[in-house]
Amino acid sequence: MFVVIGATGNVGRELVQQLAESGAEVVAVARKPGAPVSSSKVRQVQADVSAPETLAPHLRGATGVFLLVPGGGAGLDARALRTVFEAAGVKRLVVLSSMAVGTRPSAPSHAPLRDIEAVFRDSSLHCTFLRPAGFASNAFAWAGPVRTERGIAAPFADVALPVVDPADIAAVAARVLREEGHAGKVYVLTGPAAISPRQQAAVLSEAVGAPLRFMEWSREEALAMMTRFMPEPVAEGTLDILGTPTADEQRVSPDVERVLGRPAAPFSAWVGRNIAAFR
């Protein structure tokens, strides 16, 4: 039995589905209930990672836990979480972290995630840390404007980064949860090629079968939009990566293929599965 904490997110939803399809029993944990799940393998429960005691009843008998933390980990009591996991006898823990933990070791925006990794690394749990690049699913932010205005707006139009399909992150997490040999590993997860916002817009334009107008935001405009749904330090750190990426942040990692035995999916594959949102 596996517990997925953050089961309604872009990675969590995919992971719940993949684990259930593999025949595993899954406890899908979210702060707010998600859409009903038809699979008898999935039990949806409501709990909050910021209140670790609410997780305890749902961890009994868990072979492994997938942990997604909200808000970049700000304010999370990782030590209390570790205590709850250890007391429940959890064998494996997969922590969804960020590439920036490794590429920007002194950035304030990702300090909470660095601390969380350190707390779980110093535990009795068999931990694996997934450090993805930016998500292909961030393009969902364009869905409304594409449908209503045939337009896309983004900062740093021509800066290319190897965005990763959340389904690939989930597939790696599912493999790590089910298999031996991943304890203590750090996997950097990217797509198969770097792609800029303008190039992403071209992929979407072809998929919807209509020309899309592209408008480049300033950093200030982008910050104002991003702070509507994320803490300002996280938004600032994200914009640093989007605008002035390091060589490591632009490099394609082999870890998806190393774990799954197949190449990472391109941005176009994510668009193809989600095109209904843009029409």
Side-chain angles (χ1 to χ4, degrees):
M1 185 268 281
F2 299 103
V3 176
V4 177
I5 300 173
T8 57
N10 288 311
V11 176
R13 283 196 310 272
E14 294 274 3
L15 179 56
V16 168
Q17 180 178 338
Q18 291 181 28
L19 288 171
E21 288 175 351
S22 75
E25 298 289 334
V26 184
V27 176
V29 179
R31 289 181 292 180
K32 297 180 180 179
V37 177
S38 58
S39 173
S40 62
K41 297 288 185 181
V42 179
R43 177 165 59 93
Q44 292 180 303
V45 302
Q46 190 169 3
D48 192 338
V49 71
S50 65
E53 67 278 4
T54 66
L55 297 171
H58 311 300
L59 297 171
R60 299 189 188 104
T63 301
V65 173
F66 172 83
L67 175 62
L68 178 146
V69 296
L76 189 72
D77 189 344
R79 287 174 176 79
L81 270 177
R82 181 182 69 187
T83 298
V84 168
F85 293 157
E86 289 178 331
V90 172
K91 297 177 182 177
R92 295 177 189 158
L93 176 67
V94 177
V95 178
L96 185 61
S97 184
S98 168
M99 175 191 284
V101 170
T103 60
R104 296 181 183 249
S106 60
S109 56
H110 291 80
L113 283 175
R114 287 195 298 273
D115 292 343
I116 289 167
E117 283 198 19
V119 166
F120 285 115
R121 194 173 284 112
D122 184 27
S123 74
S124 63
L125 303 166
H126 293 172
C127 298
T128 306
F129 302 97
L130 307 185
R131 293 180 178 174
F135 289 9
S137 56
N138 289 342
F140 273 136
W142 298 334
V146 168
R147 289 194 308 268
T148 60
E149 304 168 17
R150 289 292 188 247
I152 285 175
F156 314 118
D158 299 304
V159 179
L161 292 167
V163 297
V164 61
D165 190 328
D168 279 348
I169 302 173
V172 170
R175 183 69 62 88
V176 169
L177 284 168
R178 295 194 309 262
E179 292 182 351
E180 299 284 351
H182 300 282
K185 299 289 183 64
V186 174
Y187 294 122
V188 176
L189 308 180
T190 73
I195 182 170
S196 69
R198 198 187 304 276
Q199 290 168 329
Q200 291 178 41
V203 171
L204 278 165
S205 176
E206 182 176 358
V208 300
L212 301 178
R213 177 176 53 87
F214 188 94
M215 180 176 70
E216 184 171 16
W217 273 338
S218 68
R219 181 185 175 110
E220 291 72 23
E221 289 170 323
L223 180 64
M225 293 297 293
M226 293 168 70
T227 50
R228 294 179 182 179
F229 56 88
M230 67 173 66
E232 185 168 348
V234 177
E236 290 278 16
T238 300
L239 287 168
D240 289 342
I241 295 170
L242 294 176
T244 54
T246 66
D248 283 341
E249 288 162 349
Q250 292 182 296
R251 185 174 297 120
V252 171
S253 167
D255 285 352
V256 168
E257 186 165 8
R258 181 176 292 151
V259 175
L260 300 180
R262 62 160 176 82
F267 180 72
S268 58
W270 179 87
V271 169
R273 292 200 320 278
N274 295 279
I275 193 59
F278 298 87
R279 287 180 170 157

